[in-house]
Amino acid sequence: MFLEKINSPKDVKKLRRKDLPSLCEEIRTALLQRLSKKGGHAGPNLGAVELTVALHYVFDAPQDKIVFDVSHQCYTHKMLTGRKQAFLYEQCYGQANGFTNPSESAYDLFTVGHTSTALSLACGLAKARDLLGQKHNVVAVVGDGSLSGGEAYEGLNNIAEQGTNFIAVINDNEMSIAENHGGYAKNLGELRRTKGKAKHNMFLALGLDYLYEEEGNDVNRLVNLFRKIKDCSRPVAVHLHTQKGKGYPPAEQNTEKFHSCGPFCLQTGEMLKAPEESYNSITRDYLQNKIASDKSVFVISSGTPAVLALDAPRREAMGKNFVDVGIAEEHAVAFASGAAKGGAKPVYAVFGSFLQRSFDQLHQDLALDNNPAVILSFWDSVYGMGGATHNGLYDVAELSNIPNLLYLAPTCVEEYLAMLDWAIDQTQRSVAIRVPAKVYHGSFVATDYSAQRSVVTKKGSGVAILAVGSMYRTAEQAAELLAQKGVHATLVNPVCLTSVDEKLLNELAETHSLIVTVEEGILDGGYGQKVASLLGDKDVKVKNFGLEKSFFGDFIPDELLARNGLTAEQIAAYISDFKA
Amino acid sequence: MFLEKINSPKDVKKLRRKDLPSLCEEIRTALLQRLSKKGGHAGPNLGAVELTVALHYVFDAPQDKIVFDVSHQCYTHKMLTGRKQAFLYEQCYGQANGFTNPSESAYDLFTVGHTSTALSLACGLAKARDLLGQKHNVVAVVGDGSLSGGEAYEGLNNIAEQGTNFIAVINDNEMSIAENHGGYAKNLGELRRTKGKAKHNMFLALGLDYLYEEEGNDVNRLVNLFRKIKDCSRPVAVHLHTQKGKGYPPAEQNTEKFHSCGPFCLQTGEMLKAPEESYNSITRDYLQNKIASDKSVFVISSGTPAVLALDAPRREAMGKNFVDVGIAEEHAVAFASGAAKGGAKPVYAVFGSFLQRSFDQLHQDLALDNNPAVILSFWDSVYGMGGATHNGLYDVAELSNIPNLLYLAPTCVEEYLAMLDWAIDQTQRSVAIRVPAKVYHGSFVATDYSAQRSVVTKKGSGVAILAVGSMYRTAEQAAELLAQKGVHATLVNPVCLTSVDEKLLNELAETHSLIVTVEEGILDGGYGQKVASLLGDKDVKVKNFGLEKSFFGDFIPDELLARNGLTAEQIAAYISDFKA
């Protein structure tokens, strides 16, 4: 076995050319073992085995710098750079996470999980090299899907202008997470069809040199190619045609399902966990019905139709009422704003972590004119996506402090659907909704959310608990614990994150000695601090519960809540111990 | 005179073809009158007269939708759509501002001042048209400089995919604010040189149709061209070669100075106001010296070298230590992060309003790995740029709630330079500095800002005032007013916006009955609310002074401060009236 002996890229270089395919097969077997047991980005990793082996065979990392865009294709790189045990032995799986990670290895240059960043990051590495008089190669590995992001285009532009050694490896597996969209993707398709000889070529147009390789999963052809361009003096785009899911028939046949997946049966490719009721499918079902009765409603996705549990047949069925703009969150928001101005009813559904790309567009392109588009931000929750690059816990400071924009926080499915229905049909303002991650059913339903009024759901005395959205259930539990001790807390559903209900808060301040806020997000810049500020010079004490400002990495959700004092028991204990 | 008779585009259409050049000359004369007296975007407006007249001659606004990118070329459009008096009569200048503005006119579709948004906004308008079964034309007017922004690329991609009527008028005056940068700009240059026939063509590569017009200031040629493409069934890029500053020799010769300018002498082109000492030139002088002694330091601009008062000869002199990436704020931050990781010392200088484009890059590409790049955010102040699209008052909520990132707020020139010097040479973390707008000299200088400690600058009793950065001087004045009444306030310079100095605050809470915070920015999500939150359940009252969350439009700075209670007198009065 070759893989067992590889502790660094130096060991890869010791192999004979003819042994490289065997190494690739061993890697693929290890990948599938881990992926089937632990889940992860199956398709991208399976397709990038050969190009990664070839890169480490030819280039000299870590002197040569290799940056993986979005880095969900970096497992092979990890195996070849001292972390093979995390793929070979189940008990070691925890030693390497699914993204490049400088704290794991000097071969990992950046912590990356958002797309379209590698060209710009690597352009900076090349600039430093040139300025410091160094000579190494700089390589960025970028998927075709990532090229839809504006940041990638800005990077290509500046790489061309910089004009020195830069190797952009375009790993073209003909797919984003789902199918690709946009003019650039058509150009890539034309280049594939013509084996790189198409009349129009975006890379040449932007000023890079260009090479095409049809056999992007043939490790020895890639070695030849990379040897040819190593130490090149100009920026070059090396366009490789690879196969997503390569070598595992279920992943080759169902590329979208296997882009990123949970544990699966290696024999059959069946997923081991059945999908549960989720806000993703709840939202999809609602929107399908809504569109059936109102053809001016349409759904926007930015390359992640899974946000709405929309598989290909369902997307097809939605026709013109579904638009996937590719991984282009900036465009998605401006596009929604324009469509709302034009009289349509756009609903943009996106994971909160990725909506960060649209901060300026939310501010300037949408909220400034208060166009009535609807933004649904998913998985802004400790129960959402894991990892420092995907945690959606920073949304409240981002969205709630933008003027005009109304950011609603439903506490249950029924309240969410009422908000969503109201938001789509109203024509007065831009509305965002913080879609919860955990499904609770309840009954707080209003027909108009424009007044931004909070709701007292239970009248008590002494202490009032204002629990935002997903934390309402926790506050209810805290109130039950307190009731057992004879403390009868007032409970409030704030409803909206973008302002505090001043009238209600002033009333509460006069009748209570303690106001407690609870939110599932970073405390700084959030809801509770607004409450503390409003009441800072009143005769009432305020205590804010929320998450410390930090990147959290991988964590167990309930543990993270407990570490931040966000359990019902901890909240009840604070209130019990409080001396007015 | 033709212009006098034009009250709407219908009146333009009544003119004979041969009279259009005269109308253009009248418009240009009016433009120069207003520009010379009031200042504004001279170059872009002078170059876009003919294309705007031709658009309104051929298309039928407001049924046909015309969207101006960044909209600093929209003066002619305003003159032709019912607002000529704001250009013809000095007493009416205030009736139209410098950007498209839906509250002024139904012909203005969006409030726009950030670049690269028109293609996406108009793509949304076209989607709504198609969905609602309407038939009008959608036109986006985009400068060559704006095409460097990733949002524009995302827009082009999706316009191509949408595939229906869309007219992208590329107003190519060969300039961004300064010269263009990036591979795309080289492609535009090649297209100009070949009169549109270059082998490589980015628009064709992305899937749009393409037309070229060399005489972009010949109104009748443009009328012919637009008539040809009106009601086209596919997206087309109409590439017009225009002249920035057209018709006014000083603006033709010095395009950068006249891109946007203050009042000037119409005869000589001399600016009427001499530049004062500013943080722009202070920063430039510091950086020039720093680079002289350390060649690993380099400056990044995103198309606005005026941030550092860097004219062309000075940029030239900086050589490799100055990089203008074009209007590409996303790239700029990721590029800086990569360069810092590679061992260089990048300093990215940008207007705060435009840094909003980089929110995700600051969060994910920079701060997550804590790479030691330096970000200088300028004009986050009521004394910065005017208008809802340019007010830099939203930076604190944006930057101060990102984990890891240190956001410093200097109170005076000397403190700023000490912070800047420390930030560049340290290698441990990402640092942003909120560069003030008004120049004060002072003496709060430290040699290490990593500890994030606030500084008690004056010990008093009863009340403590924590005044952030630019507001420190106001707090000093408030303290003087209070001293006259026998109240001796403690004064604190918080130094840093990203955290509160818990130890100091707890001490102050024990020894004072009132803590007052003062900041020149939106209160929500800002510094003061963090203080109120920390002290919410302590035995001390907290009062936060700052700006209400709002878009402000045009305002007189001191009036805006007064409207928000931010004068020394108002702060002193609150404290005087306060009953513990």
Side-chain angles (χ1 to χ4, degrees):
Chain A
M1 196 175 177
F2 298 106
L3 184 53
E4 287 279 11
K5 295 182 197 131
I6 288 175
N7 295 309
S8 84
K10 279 188 187 144
D11 298 322
V12 182
K13 293 177 205 297
K14 288 176 191 160
L15 297 179
R16 295 168 301 182
R17 293 281 298 260
K18 67 172 181 160
D19 294 328
L20 294 179
S22 303
L23 173 63
C24 292
E25 281 320 296
E26 291 176 17
I27 288 170
R28 194 163 268 119
T29 302
L31 277 176
L32 281 167
Q33 281 295 334
R34 172 167 155 148
L35 285 162
S36 67
K37 287 187 177 139
K38 195 178 156 72
H41 283 94
N45 276 299
L46 289 167
V49 173
E50 287 79 10
L51 76 85
T52 310
V53 169
L55 282 172
H56 280 300
Y57 197 71
V58 173
F59 293 97
D60 305 304
Q63 292 74 40
D64 289 333
K65 311 297 179 197
I66 306 174
V67 183
F68 292 88
D69 196 273
V70 71
S71 85
H72 57 210
Q73 76 293 64
C74 71
Y75 288 13
T76 300
H77 163 78
K78 290 199 175 192
M79 282 192 235
L80 302 179
T81 55
R83 289 165 282 178
K84 63 176 186 296
Q85 71 285 355
F87 297 83
L88 289 172
Y89 313 116
E90 191 167 356
Q91 68 274 25
C92 301
Y93 284 174
Q95 292 174 16
N97 75 7
F99 298 89
T100 54
N101 186 345
S103 66
E104 275 181 18
S105 166
Y107 291 93
D108 290 7
L109 293 158
F110 303 97
T111 306
V112 181
H114 286 199
T115 50
S116 316
T117 71
L119 292 162
S120 290
L121 290 167
C123 184
L125 289 171
K127 174 69 185 176
R129 172 199 64 199
D130 298 346
L131 211 54
L132 302 175
Q134 301 165 346
K135 290 287 171 204
H136 51 263
N137 290 274
V138 172
V139 180
V141 179
V142 186
D144 50 318
S146 290
L147 288 177
S148 57
E151 187 176 353
Y153 166 78
E154 293 178 2
L156 284 173
N157 267 317
N158 282 284
I159 288 160
E161 168 134 345
Q162 197 156 272
T164 55
N165 167 283
F166 192 102
I167 296 151
V169 176
I170 310 301
N171 171 26
D172 184 354
N173 59 25
E174 306 183 48
M175 289 287 284
S176 191
I177 296 173
E179 72 283 358
N180 282 316
H181 290 277
Y184 90 93
K186 288 210 185 74
N187 189 233
L188 291 184
E190 190 59 22
L191 288 165
R192 287 192 306 268
R193 266 191 298 283
T194 59
K195 306 280 187 282
K197 298 193 189 333
K199 185 175 171 202
H200 302 301
N201 180 318
M202 60 180 282
F203 303 103
L204 290 169
L206 293 178
L208 284 79
D209 294 341
Y210 176 83
L211 291 170
Y212 181 81
E213 172 54 62
E214 172 64 18
E215 302 296 336
N217 291 105
D218 180 328
V219 64
N220 274 308
R221 288 183 71 96
L222 297 180
V223 168
N224 292 340
L225 183 65
F226 292 152
R227 282 192 170 157
K228 196 158 79 179
I229 55 168
K230 189 180 180 184
D231 302 322
C232 59
S233 61
R234 288 219 346 112
V236 58
V238 185
H239 185 180
L240 310 181
H241 188 189
T242 62
Q243 183 174 16
K244 198 165 184 174
K246 174 76 178 177
Y248 183 57
E252 290 178 359
Q253 285 148 28
N254 197 334
T255 48
E256 190 171 336
K257 181 171 142 193
F258 278 91
H259 170 80
S260 177
C261 60
F264 55 90
C265 170
L266 203 48
Q267 279 68 45
T268 64
E270 288 300 307
M271 295 298 150
L272 297 184
K273 280 189 200 162
E276 296 165 5
E277 186 187 25
S278 72
Y279 273 96
N280 312 84
S281 57
I282 289 167
T283 308
R284 175 199 66 207
D285 294 345
Y286 165 84
L287 287 169
Q288 285 175 331
N289 281 331
K290 186 77 178 172
I291 288 166
S293 66
D294 184 347
K295 290 295 178 200
S296 69
V297 176
F298 76 104
V299 174
I300 303 169
S301 172
S302 48
T304 54
V307 171
L308 293 176
L310 280 171
D311 53 22
R314 287 189 171 96
R315 298 197 292 270
E316 184 90 5
M318 290 175 89
K320 282 188 177 178
N321 298 88
F322 174 80
V323 179
D324 186 342
V325 299
I327 304 173
E329 293 87 358
E330 296 190 297
H331 171 76
V333 168
F335 176 62
S337 181
K341 174 77 181 180
K345 298 177 179 174
V347 180
Y348 173 37
V350 57
F351 291 120
S353 180
F354 303 153
L355 184 58
Q356 293 185 179
R357 275 289 162 81
S358 315
F359 179 71
D360 187 52
Q361 288 73 28
L362 290 166
H363 195 278
Q364 288 283 315
D365 300 3
L366 180 66
L368 179 54
D369 283 325
N370 225 345
N371 288 327
V374 180
I375 313 288
L376 302 181
S377 184
F378 283 76
W379 288 6
D380 298 306
S381 166
V382 297
Y383 300 101
M385 289 188 286
T389 57
H390 285 64
N391 291 159
L393 297 165
Y394 309 95
D395 61 303
V396 183
E398 182 196 355
L399 300 187
S400 73
N401 299 312
I402 295 174
N404 288 353
L405 185 66
L406 177 61
Y407 194 27
L408 297 170
T411 59
C412 63
V413 173
E414 289 68 23
E415 188 176 31
Y416 167 60
L417 292 176
M419 288 171 169
L420 178 53
D421 202 62
W422 169 80
I424 290 174
D425 285 330
Q426 60 84 37
T427 58
Q428 300 303 303
R429 60 189 309 163
S430 313
V431 180
I433 304 180
R434 188 180 213 230
V435 186
K438 271 198 167 181
V439 174
Y440 291 117
H441 290 275
S443 60
F444 303 142
V445 176
T447 54
D448 186 347
Y449 292 92
S450 57
Q452 307 185 49
R453 298 298 304 271
S454 299
V455 178
V456 176
T457 52
K458 187 171 164 232
K459 282 196 181 174
S461 62
V463 57
I465 310 177
L466 285 67
V468 177
S470 53
M471 292 308 286
Y472 182 79
R473 186 60 54 117
T474 303
E476 253 184 352
Q477 292 165 351
E480 283 164 24
L481 293 172
L482 287 166
Q484 292 165 17
K485 295 190 179 183
V487 177
H488 297 284
T490 295
L491 265 181
V492 177
N493 172 9
V495 176
C496 137
L497 285 160
T498 18
S499 62
V500 294
D501 185 333
E502 287 196 28
K503 183 164 169 289
L504 175 66
L505 277 174
N506 283 322
E507 284 167 19
L508 292 174
E510 281 177 24
T511 50
H512 295 71
S513 55
L514 175 66
I515 308 277
V516 171
T517 69
V518 191
E519 61 198 298
E520 190 190 356
I522 305 298
L523 207 52
D524 277 6
Y527 173 78
Q529 294 193 336
K530 292 176 177 60
V531 174
S533 176
L534 180 79
L535 300 178
D537 63 351
K538 305 290 189 299
D539 282 325
V540 64
K541 295 286 193 290
V542 177
K543 172 68 179 176
N544 301 138
F545 286 92
L547 298 169
E548 62 167 335
K549 183 175 70 172
S550 178
F551 293 110
F552 296 109
D554 296 308
F555 55 80
I556 295 164
D558 291 330
E559 281 182 17
L560 186 69
L561 292 175
R563 239 160 62 204
N564 285 272
L566 280 166
T567 67
E569 292 73 20
Q570 289 166 312
I571 294 162
Y574 172 87
I575 293 170
S576 290
D577 294 347
F578 176 76
K579 304 274 177 283
Chain B
M1 196 175 176
F2 298 105
L3 185 53
E4 288 277 12
K5 294 181 199 136
I6 288 176
N7 294 310
S8 84
K10 279 188 186 145
D11 298 323
V12 182
K13 293 176 203 299
K14 290 177 192 160
L15 297 180
R16 295 168 299 183
R17 293 280 299 258
K18 66 174 184 159
D19 294 329
L20 294 179
S22 303
L23 173 64
C24 292
E25 280 321 296
E26 291 176 18
I27 289 170
R28 193 163 267 116
T29 302
L31 276 178
L32 281 167
Q33 281 296 335
R34 171 166 155 149
L35 285 162
S36 68
K37 288 188 176 136
K38 194 177 157 71
H41 283 94
N45 275 300
L46 289 167
V49 173
E50 288 78 11
L51 75 87
T52 311
V53 169
L55 282 174
H56 279 298
Y57 197 71
V58 173
F59 293 98
D60 304 305
Q63 291 75 38
D64 288 333
K65 310 297 179 197
I66 306 174
V67 183
F68 292 89
D69 197 273
V70 72
S71 85
H72 58 211
Q73 76 294 62
C74 70
Y75 289 13
T76 299
H77 163 76
K78 291 197 175 193
M79 281 192 235
L80 302 179
T81 53
R83 289 165 281 179
K84 63 176 187 296
Q85 71 284 357
F87 296 84
L88 289 172
Y89 313 116
E90 190 166 359
Q91 67 273 25
C92 301
Y93 284 174
Q95 292 174 14
N97 76 6
F99 298 89
T100 54
N101 187 346
S103 66
E104 276 181 18
S105 167
Y107 292 92
D108 291 7
L109 292 159
F110 302 97
T111 306
V112 180
H114 286 200
T115 51
S116 316
T117 72
L119 292 162
S120 290
L121 290 168
C123 183
L125 289 172
K127 174 68 186 176
R129 174 198 62 198
D130 298 345
L131 211 53
L132 303 175
Q134 301 165 346
K135 290 287 170 204
H136 51 263
N137 289 274
V138 172
V139 181
V141 179
V142 186
D144 51 318
S146 289
L147 287 178
S148 57
E151 189 177 352
Y153 165 79
E154 294 179 0
L156 285 173
N157 267 316
N158 281 286
I159 289 160
E161 169 135 344
Q162 197 157 272
T164 55
N165 168 284
F166 192 103
I167 296 151
V169 175
I170 309 301
N171 171 25
D172 183 355
N173 60 26
E174 305 183 49
M175 289 286 286
S176 190
I177 297 173
E179 72 282 358
N180 281 317
H181 291 277
Y184 89 94
K186 289 209 182 77
N187 189 233
L188 291 182
E190 190 60 23
L191 287 166
R192 289 192 306 268
R193 266 190 299 282
T194 59
K195 307 278 188 282
K197 300 192 188 335
K199 184 176 172 202
H200 301 302
N201 179 316
M202 60 181 281
F203 303 104
L204 290 170
L206 292 179
L208 284 79
D209 293 342
Y210 176 83
L211 290 169
Y212 182 81
E213 173 54 64
E214 172 63 19
E215 301 297 336
N217 292 105
D218 181 328
V219 65
N220 274 309
R221 290 183 69 95
L222 296 180
V223 167
N224 293 340
L225 182 64
F226 292 152
R227 284 190 169 161
K228 197 158 77 180
I229 55 167
K230 189 180 180 184
D231 302 321
C232 60
S233 60
R234 290 223 340 116
V236 57
V238 185
H239 186 179
L240 310 181
H241 188 188
T242 62
Q243 184 174 17
K244 197 165 185 174
K246 173 77 178 177
Y248 184 57
E252 290 177 358
Q253 285 147 29
N254 197 334
T255 48
E256 191 171 335
K257 181 171 142 193
F258 278 91
H259 169 79
S260 176
C261 60
F264 55 90
C265 169
L266 203 49
Q267 280 67 47
T268 64
E270 287 300 309
M271 297 296 149
L272 297 184
K273 280 190 199 162
E276 297 167 5
E277 185 187 26
S278 71
Y279 273 97
N280 311 83
S281 58
I282 288 167
T283 309
R284 175 197 66 206
D285 294 345
Y286 164 85
L287 287 170
Q288 285 175 332
N289 281 332
K290 186 76 180 173
I291 288 167
S293 66
D294 184 348
K295 291 294 178 202
S296 69
V297 176
F298 76 104
V299 175
I300 302 169
S301 172
S302 47
T304 55
V307 172
L308 293 176
L310 280 171
D311 54 20
R314 286 188 171 97
R315 298 197 291 271
E316 185 92 6
M318 290 175 90
K320 283 188 178 179
N321 298 88
F322 174 81
V323 178
D324 186 341
V325 298
I327 304 174
E329 293 87 357
E330 295 190 296
H331 172 76
V333 168
F335 176 62
S337 181
K341 175 75 181 182
K345 297 177 178 175
V347 179
Y348 173 36
V350 58
F351 292 121
S353 180
F354 302 153
L355 183 59
Q356 293 184 177
R357 276 290 161 82
S358 315
F359 178 70
D360 186 52
Q361 288 72 29
L362 290 166
H363 195 278
Q364 288 283 314
D365 300 4
L366 180 66
L368 180 53
D369 282 326
N370 226 344
N371 288 327
V374 179
I375 313 288
L376 302 180
S377 185
F378 282 77
W379 288 6
D380 297 307
S381 165
V382 298
Y383 301 100
M385 290 188 286
T389 56
H390 285 64
N391 291 160
L393 297 165
Y394 309 95
D395 61 303
V396 183
E398 183 196 354
L399 300 187
S400 73
N401 300 313
I402 296 175
N404 286 354
L405 185 66
L406 177 62
Y407 195 27
L408 297 169
T411 59
C412 64
V413 172
E414 289 68 23
E415 189 177 32
Y416 167 60
L417 292 175
M419 287 172 170
L420 178 53
D421 203 62
W422 169 80
I424 291 173
D425 285 330
Q426 62 84 37
T427 57
Q428 300 304 304
R429 59 188 310 162
S430 313
V431 180
I433 304 180
R434 189 179 211 230
V435 186
K438 271 198 166 180
V439 174
Y440 292 117
H441 289 274
S443 59
F444 303 142
V445 175
T447 53
D448 186 347
Y449 292 93
S450 57
Q452 306 184 51
R453 298 298 304 272
S454 298
V455 179
V456 176
T457 54
K458 187 170 164 234
K459 282 196 180 175
S461 62
V463 57
I465 310 177
L466 285 67
V468 177
S470 52
M471 291 310 285
Y472 182 80
R473 185 62 54 119
T474 303
E476 255 185 352
Q477 291 164 354
E480 283 162 24
L481 293 171
L482 288 166
Q484 292 165 16
K485 296 190 178 183
V487 178
H488 297 284
T490 294
L491 264 180
V492 177
N493 171 10
V495 176
C496 137
L497 284 161
T498 17
S499 62
V500 295
D501 186 334
E502 287 196 27
K503 185 165 168 286
L504 176 66
L505 277 173
N506 284 321
E507 285 168 17
L508 292 173
E510 281 178 21
T511 50
H512 296 71
S513 56
L514 175 65
I515 309 279
V516 171
T517 69
V518 192
E519 61 197 299
E520 189 190 358
I522 306 298
L523 206 51
D524 277 6
Y527 174 78
Q529 295 194 334
K530 291 177 178 59
V531 174
S533 177
L534 181 78
L535 301 179
D537 62 351
K538 304 288 190 302
D539 282 324
V540 64
K541 295 285 193 291
V542 176
K543 172 68 180 176
N544 300 139
F545 287 93
L547 298 169
E548 62 167 335
K549 183 175 72 174
S550 179
F551 292 111
F552 295 109
D554 295 310
F555 55 79
I556 295 164
D558 290 330
E559 281 182 15
L560 185 70
L561 291 176
R563 237 159 62 204
N564 285 273
L566 280 165
T567 69
E569 292 73 17
Q570 290 167 311
I571 294 163
Y574 172 88
I575 293 170
S576 290
D577 294 347
F578 176 78
K579 305 277 177 280

